Every structure is written in C-alpha cells, then in structure tokens.
Amino acid sequence: MEFMLIFGIHFIIMGSGSMFLSLVVSSVAKKIPFLVTIFGCMFLGVLYASKIGFTDILWLAALFNGVLSAIAVGLVKLVDYAGERAERVNG
C-alpha cells in the first residue's frame, strides 16, 4: 500500500513535469521536431525513475512520459492549426 502511494505521487510529479516541459518547448521553439521533444521527455522520465529507485519499471516511465508528452505536443499543434485556420477564414 505504501509503495502505491509513493509510486502514484512520483508518477504524477513526473507526468506533470513532462507535460509542462513539452508545452513550453513546443510553443516557444516551434522549429524543434516533435519526436525530439517526445524522446527527450522519455529520457528525462527514465532518469527520474532510476534516480528514485524504480529501476524495474523504467519502460513504464518512458512510455508514460512519451504518451503525456505526445498529448501536450499535439495540443500545441492543434491550437496553432486552429489559429492559422481562423486567420485564413477571416481573411
């Protein structure tokens, strides 16, 4: 039971950091390819998980951070597309 609490708290921290970093990188530096951002967040998640002692589930940390990073990058791309589309419609 203790492990699940610690596990959950660390994964929430890791996921929040991953999404925030992806949002900042995708919105500020638009020239960086999205795969670089996703793989960078996956790598940082693996580093964080190994630092706190979750060495058995490093693959889960990488997958978790990759998915959350992809969601964040996709949201930024969606907002950019919607803004460009609105400008084209309004002339």
Side-chain angles (χ1 to χ4, degrees), residues 16-31:
S16 300
S18 175
M19 284 192 83
F20 181 72
L21 182 67
S22 296
L23 284 170
V24 169
V25 168
S26 296
S27 60
V28 173
K30 296 189 186 298
K31 298 281 185 183

Side-chain angles (χ1 to χ4, degrees), residues 5-73:
L5 180 66
I6 292 171
F7 176 77
I9 290 172
H10 282 293
F11 264 60
I12 288 173
I13 291 169
M14 190 169 38
S16 300
S18 175
M19 284 192 83
F20 181 72
L21 182 67
S22 296
L23 284 170
V24 169
V25 168
S26 296
S27 60
V28 173
K30 296 189 186 298
K31 298 281 185 183
I32 296 177
F34 70 95
L35 283 178
V36 172
T37 305
I38 292 171
F39 287 141
C41 285
M42 288 173 75
F43 180 69
L44 289 176
V46 167
L47 286 178
Y48 181 77
S50 65
K51 178 78 173 165
I52 60 174
F54 292 155
T55 55
D56 295 336
I57 53 172
L58 290 178
W59 62 272
L60 181 64
L63 182 68
F64 181 72
N65 279 338
V67 167
L68 289 179
S69 179
I71 290 171
V73 171

